Amino acid sequence: MGRLLLRWVQFVAVLLPSVSAALTEAPDEYHSGPVSIVVRNDAVLVAGRLSGQVSVLDAGASKVLDVFGFGKILGGLAPVAGTEFLLAPAENSDEVLLLRWRNRRLDKVASAKVPGTPVHAVASADGRWVSVSALWGRSVSVFRLQGGRLELHKRVELPFSPRLQWWSPDGAHLVVLDSFGGQLAVLDPRSFRRLSVRHCQVSAVRGVLPGPDGKSLLLVHNRVNASNPTTQPMVFYGFVVSSGVLMLDLDNLLRPSPEPAVRQFGFHPLGDVKAGGADPGQMVFLRDGGFAVCLGGVGEVAVGDSLGGEFTRIPVGRRPVALAEAADGRHLLVANYFDDDVVVIDLATRKVLRRVGLNHAPDPPSEARRGEVLFYDAKVGLHGWMSCHSCHVDGHATGGLADTLGDGTVYTPKRIPSLFGTTGTGPWGWDGAKPDLHAQILQSMRVTMQGSEMKKDTAANAARLAAYLDTLRAPPSRAEHPPGREVFQRLGCADCHAGPGYTSAKTYDVGVHDEKGRTKFNPPSLRGLRHRHRFFHDNRAASLEDVFIRHRHPEGETPDGKDLRNLLLFLRDL
């Protein structure tokens, strides 16, 4: 049992879950990877991300009645209120699908291009507008939905990689959230121009809900505290990585403000001593005033009678990411991403009644598949407080710092690196002290995650994690900018950032130091540079421009205006 300290009245909300694992090019014939549950009066629709299929269950969720395949990697499934339509972003084909549920059939009626890996689609309350976030395109595409057609209205560029979106009930604002860190953008639906970009101290936001009084916006998230090192006591009490619900002042968020930080009403934890609640996901409010929330990292769902009261943690399976209340109001449906099933919970007894499998032809799991399961498993870390994903969100990074003790020092937090393409960029660690990736992984499990007590820090598991990391690829690069490459070579950038990974095996003194006076660091790969926000080992550079202008990197030499423009274009295309 635990206590969810959310001190406000009840309400009912609908939330769309989201998942992003390794970059996938084609549907998987063996695994479903369910990511969304949509309840209709006559059926339950479950979107399988990996299979590209939508499974149709009977209204009581006791068996699979039918399966509709679309040959796409589906980012989710979202209903358009008051209509037969549903939205499904297709990650691998850069489009959003408009589907229609009619006469127990699910058919595609239209589609529209969304460049840059669309991952989340949502309709406005009146059903007139559809917005789709593109993860690597760093944009939101807004469509007018009319007569079964999607007509592009505007594409809005963003300074971060987006995922979840939230339309205000009156349609006056669209809020778009960072997939990895804590940035938020507010758009004006009348012109769909960007009103502001704000931030708060969160990462891996996988749930967004309005407050019951219309005065708050709730973010279900992780939080990494860079001030606390990953010593055993700090991890034990959840002082390094924690999870919870953050209540934002909605008026402050939506009103244009020169202050980048959003005012907060409060933070409400989802974990407790020896019972961490890592990597929370979708959260819903039930018709009887209760609530339920996925605790993906520990394979549980928390269900409570009332907000501010106690809740029961129910083990459900491997990585629950989506849930929905059944049409009868007596059952909760939960989708387990790695188990390829839907679990049915009796809300009265808070017991699992049954499981409905979505995978009819399972194959023996590969080492990479086993490694992926471990990557998202918070029970690799001490008492379920953190998984690998908690800091390296979906294989990328929060954009923030962590004091991982990785270089043998304490109170020297370093920027969390992206793991995309990491298997080709050794040695590892900011000090370049780990020439072997397996040794780096074992150190992370034992020292950073304090996981020795959990008995999963084995050489075999390190090999599985390494196999999974080898599947993580950098986001697609853009066409090279030749004038920028010439500047890159002329300034000597390639001396440290060399080869296809734009890194090297050595350490260099580049004129910066950490809190212990260390000055030599291993250069990080420059691949995917445009998807980072801050730079250097401690994030001291607030932008890529700052690296050259304010910090005069490298060798105190600042390129002139034209050279700088060309260099920046080249780096952002990698």
Side-chain angles (χ1 to χ4, degrees), residues 6 35 83 182 216 264 271 277 284-285 291 328-329 363 434 436 455 482 515 532 540:
L6 297 176
V35 291
T83 75
S216 58
Q264 303 173 10
V284 297
F285 291 84
F291 65 89
D328 61 12
D363 67 331
K434 288 290 186 295
D436 179 68
K455 307 300 183 183
E515 291 81 352
R532 304 176 203 165
R540 68 180 60 194

mmCIF file of all heavy atoms in Angstrom, residues 6 35 83 182 216 264 271 277 284-285 291 328-329 363 434 436 455 482 515 532 540:
data_model
loop_
_atom_site.group_PDB
_atom_site.id
_atom_site.type_symbol
_atom_site.label_atom_id
_atom_site.label_comp_id
_atom_site.label_asym_id
_atom_site.label_seq_id
_atom_site.Cartn_x
_atom_site.Cartn_y
_atom_site.Cartn_z
ATOM 1 N N LEU A 6 -2.336 13.611 -3.742
ATOM 2 C CA LEU A 6 -2.906 14.537 -4.711
ATOM 3 C C LEU A 6 -4.139 15.155 -4.085
ATOM 4 O O LEU A 6 -5.209 14.554 -4.052
ATOM 5 C CB LEU A 6 -3.287 13.795 -5.994
ATOM 6 C CG LEU A 6 -2.134 13.148 -6.749
ATOM 7 C CD1 LEU A 6 -2.681 12.378 -7.934
ATOM 8 C CD2 LEU A 6 -1.130 14.177 -7.191
ATOM 9 N N VAL A 35 0.315 -0.437 -27.137
ATOM 10 C CA VAL A 35 0.613 0.889 -26.599
ATOM 11 C C VAL A 35 -0.617 1.738 -26.321
ATOM 12 O O VAL A 35 -0.506 2.781 -25.675
ATOM 13 C CB VAL A 35 1.552 1.677 -27.544
ATOM 14 C CG1 VAL A 35 2.940 1.075 -27.552
ATOM 15 C CG2 VAL A 35 0.991 1.760 -28.955
ATOM 16 N N THR A 83 -17.258 10.873 -32.870
ATOM 17 C CA THR A 83 -17.229 10.370 -34.246
ATOM 18 C C THR A 83 -16.832 8.899 -34.256
ATOM 19 O O THR A 83 -16.494 8.314 -33.224
ATOM 20 C CB THR A 83 -16.210 11.150 -35.109
ATOM 21 O OG1 THR A 83 -14.879 10.735 -34.767
ATOM 22 C CG2 THR A 83 -16.349 12.647 -34.897
ATOM 23 N N GLY A 182 12.345 18.536 -20.039
ATOM 24 C CA GLY A 182 11.256 19.254 -19.400
ATOM 25 C C GLY A 182 10.767 20.491 -20.113
ATOM 26 O O GLY A 182 10.207 21.390 -19.482
ATOM 27 N N SER A 216 -4.910 23.702 -13.172
ATOM 28 C CA SER A 216 -3.612 23.028 -13.172
ATOM 29 C C SER A 216 -3.520 22.040 -14.324
ATOM 30 O O SER A 216 -4.529 21.543 -14.829
ATOM 31 C CB SER A 216 -3.377 22.308 -11.841
ATOM 32 O OG SER A 216 -4.393 21.365 -11.597
ATOM 33 N N GLN A 264 4.712 26.100 -10.206
ATOM 34 C CA GLN A 264 4.237 24.774 -9.830
ATOM 35 C C GLN A 264 3.399 24.853 -8.555
ATOM 36 O O GLN A 264 3.730 25.573 -7.620
ATOM 37 C CB GLN A 264 5.422 23.842 -9.609
ATOM 38 C CG GLN A 264 6.325 23.727 -10.825
ATOM 39 C CD GLN A 264 7.593 22.940 -10.546
ATOM 40 O OE1 GLN A 264 7.737 22.315 -9.503
ATOM 41 N NE2 GLN A 264 8.512 22.965 -11.493
ATOM 42 N N GLY A 271 6.532 6.843 -5.521
ATOM 43 C CA GLY A 271 7.339 5.777 -4.934
ATOM 44 C C GLY A 271 7.508 5.978 -3.442
ATOM 45 O O GLY A 271 7.191 7.037 -2.892
ATOM 46 N N GLY A 277 8.713 3.687 -7.717
ATOM 47 C CA GLY A 277 7.682 3.634 -8.762
ATOM 48 C C GLY A 277 8.202 4.168 -10.072
ATOM 49 O O GLY A 277 7.578 5.037 -10.684
ATOM 50 N N VAL A 284 -5.263 7.539 -15.402
ATOM 51 C CA VAL A 284 -6.666 7.817 -15.706
ATOM 52 C C VAL A 284 -7.437 7.968 -14.407
ATOM 53 O O VAL A 284 -7.034 7.461 -13.361
ATOM 54 C CB VAL A 284 -7.315 6.712 -16.567
ATOM 55 C CG1 VAL A 284 -6.639 6.596 -17.920
ATOM 56 C CG2 VAL A 284 -7.301 5.377 -15.838
ATOM 57 N N PHE A 285 -8.554 8.661 -14.497
ATOM 58 C CA PHE A 285 -9.447 8.825 -13.365
ATOM 59 C C PHE A 285 -10.741 8.086 -13.660
ATOM 60 O O PHE A 285 -11.289 8.176 -14.754
ATOM 61 C CB PHE A 285 -9.678 10.305 -13.085
ATOM 62 C CG PHE A 285 -8.439 10.950 -12.562
ATOM 63 C CD1 PHE A 285 -7.466 11.414 -13.432
ATOM 64 C CD2 PHE A 285 -8.211 11.057 -11.205
ATOM 65 C CE1 PHE A 285 -6.297 11.988 -12.958
ATOM 66 C CE2 PHE A 285 -7.053 11.621 -10.718
ATOM 67 C CZ PHE A 285 -6.090 12.082 -11.593
ATOM 68 N N PHE A 291 -8.680 6.332 -9.156
ATOM 69 C CA PHE A 291 -7.660 6.623 -10.155
ATOM 70 C C PHE A 291 -6.820 5.380 -10.387
ATOM 71 O O PHE A 291 -6.821 4.445 -9.574
ATOM 72 C CB PHE A 291 -6.761 7.779 -9.704
ATOM 73 C CG PHE A 291 -5.956 7.461 -8.480
ATOM 74 C CD1 PHE A 291 -4.705 6.878 -8.587
ATOM 75 C CD2 PHE A 291 -6.469 7.702 -7.217
ATOM 76 C CE1 PHE A 291 -3.978 6.553 -7.459
ATOM 77 C CE2 PHE A 291 -5.747 7.378 -6.081
ATOM 78 C CZ PHE A 291 -4.492 6.812 -6.202
ATOM 79 N N ASP A 328 -18.120 -1.275 -18.608
ATOM 80 C CA ASP A 328 -19.020 -1.573 -17.494
ATOM 81 C C ASP A 328 -18.632 -0.840 -16.216
ATOM 82 O O ASP A 328 -19.365 -0.897 -15.218
ATOM 83 C CB ASP A 328 -19.072 -3.085 -17.238
ATOM 84 C CG ASP A 328 -17.711 -3.681 -16.852
ATOM 85 O OD1 ASP A 328 -16.776 -2.916 -16.557
ATOM 86 O OD2 ASP A 328 -17.599 -4.918 -16.851
ATOM 87 N N GLY A 329 -17.487 -0.151 -16.201
ATOM 88 C CA GLY A 329 -17.061 0.590 -15.029
ATOM 89 C C GLY A 329 -16.579 -0.272 -13.880
ATOM 90 O O GLY A 329 -16.244 0.230 -12.812
ATOM 91 N N ASP A 363 8.333 -15.989 -30.804
ATOM 92 C CA ASP A 363 9.598 -16.612 -31.159
ATOM 93 C C ASP A 363 10.483 -16.610 -29.916
ATOM 94 O O ASP A 363 10.234 -15.881 -28.968
ATOM 95 C CB ASP A 363 10.284 -15.849 -32.296
ATOM 96 C CG ASP A 363 10.716 -14.462 -31.860
ATOM 97 O OD1 ASP A 363 10.054 -13.901 -30.959
ATOM 98 O OD2 ASP A 363 11.696 -13.940 -32.398
ATOM 99 N N LYS A 434 36.749 3.588 -19.645
ATOM 100 C CA LYS A 434 36.208 2.244 -19.850
ATOM 101 C C LYS A 434 36.328 1.852 -21.326
ATOM 102 O O LYS A 434 35.496 2.215 -22.152
ATOM 103 C CB LYS A 434 34.735 2.203 -19.427
ATOM 104 C CG LYS A 434 34.522 2.270 -17.919
ATOM 105 C CD LYS A 434 34.982 0.978 -17.247
ATOM 106 C CE LYS A 434 34.627 0.993 -15.759
ATOM 107 N NZ LYS A 434 35.355 2.044 -15.031
ATOM 108 N N ASP A 436 35.946 -1.091 -22.471
ATOM 109 C CA ASP A 436 35.046 -2.210 -22.741
ATOM 110 C C ASP A 436 33.622 -1.819 -22.362
ATOM 111 O O ASP A 436 33.349 -1.419 -21.218
ATOM 112 C CB ASP A 436 35.486 -3.431 -21.937
ATOM 113 C CG ASP A 436 34.561 -4.617 -22.155
ATOM 114 O OD1 ASP A 436 34.549 -5.150 -23.281
ATOM 115 O OD2 ASP A 436 33.828 -4.978 -21.212
ATOM 116 N N LYS A 455 20.479 -8.493 -7.686
ATOM 117 C CA LYS A 455 21.001 -9.737 -8.266
ATOM 118 C C LYS A 455 20.829 -9.832 -9.781
ATOM 119 O O LYS A 455 20.802 -10.925 -10.345
ATOM 120 C CB LYS A 455 20.356 -10.970 -7.613
ATOM 121 C CG LYS A 455 20.424 -11.001 -6.089
ATOM 122 C CD LYS A 455 21.842 -10.981 -5.568
ATOM 123 C CE LYS A 455 21.874 -11.093 -4.048
ATOM 124 N NZ LYS A 455 23.248 -10.992 -3.515
ATOM 125 N N PRO A 482 28.543 21.191 -47.316
ATOM 126 C CA PRO A 482 29.988 21.187 -47.613
ATOM 127 C C PRO A 482 30.752 22.406 -47.091
ATOM 128 O O PRO A 482 31.863 22.239 -46.561
ATOM 129 C CB PRO A 482 30.033 21.103 -49.147
ATOM 130 C CG PRO A 482 28.745 20.425 -49.513
ATOM 131 C CD PRO A 482 27.742 20.939 -48.530
ATOM 132 N N GLU A 515 34.151 20.069 -10.968
ATOM 133 C CA GLU A 515 34.240 20.575 -9.599
ATOM 134 C C GLU A 515 35.476 20.084 -8.857
ATOM 135 O O GLU A 515 35.893 20.693 -7.857
ATOM 136 C CB GLU A 515 32.981 20.177 -8.816
ATOM 137 C CG GLU A 515 31.717 20.885 -9.257
ATOM 138 C CD GLU A 515 31.071 20.279 -10.487
ATOM 139 O OE1 GLU A 515 31.677 19.374 -11.115
ATOM 140 O OE2 GLU A 515 29.950 20.705 -10.846
ATOM 141 N N ARG A 532 20.151 17.871 -29.137
ATOM 142 C CA ARG A 532 20.624 18.202 -27.792
ATOM 143 C C ARG A 532 20.406 19.690 -27.552
ATOM 144 O O ARG A 532 20.358 20.487 -28.486
ATOM 145 C CB ARG A 532 22.103 17.858 -27.629
ATOM 146 C CG ARG A 532 22.417 16.396 -27.955
ATOM 147 C CD ARG A 532 23.905 16.111 -27.878
ATOM 148 N NE ARG A 532 24.252 14.932 -28.675
ATOM 149 C CZ ARG A 532 25.486 14.612 -29.022
ATOM 150 N NH1 ARG A 532 26.502 15.374 -28.642
ATOM 151 N NH2 ARG A 532 25.719 13.533 -29.763
ATOM 152 N N ARG A 540 27.345 23.654 -19.478
ATOM 153 C CA ARG A 540 27.587 25.082 -19.280
ATOM 154 C C ARG A 540 27.232 25.913 -20.513
ATOM 155 O O ARG A 540 26.909 27.097 -20.382
ATOM 156 C CB ARG A 540 29.037 25.338 -18.883
ATOM 157 C CG ARG A 540 30.068 25.056 -19.963
ATOM 158 C CD ARG A 540 31.481 25.356 -19.461
ATOM 159 N NE ARG A 540 31.818 24.531 -18.290
ATOM 160 C CZ ARG A 540 32.866 24.775 -17.511
ATOM 161 N NH1 ARG A 540 33.655 25.823 -17.746
ATOM 162 N NH2 ARG A 540 33.132 23.979 -16.490
#
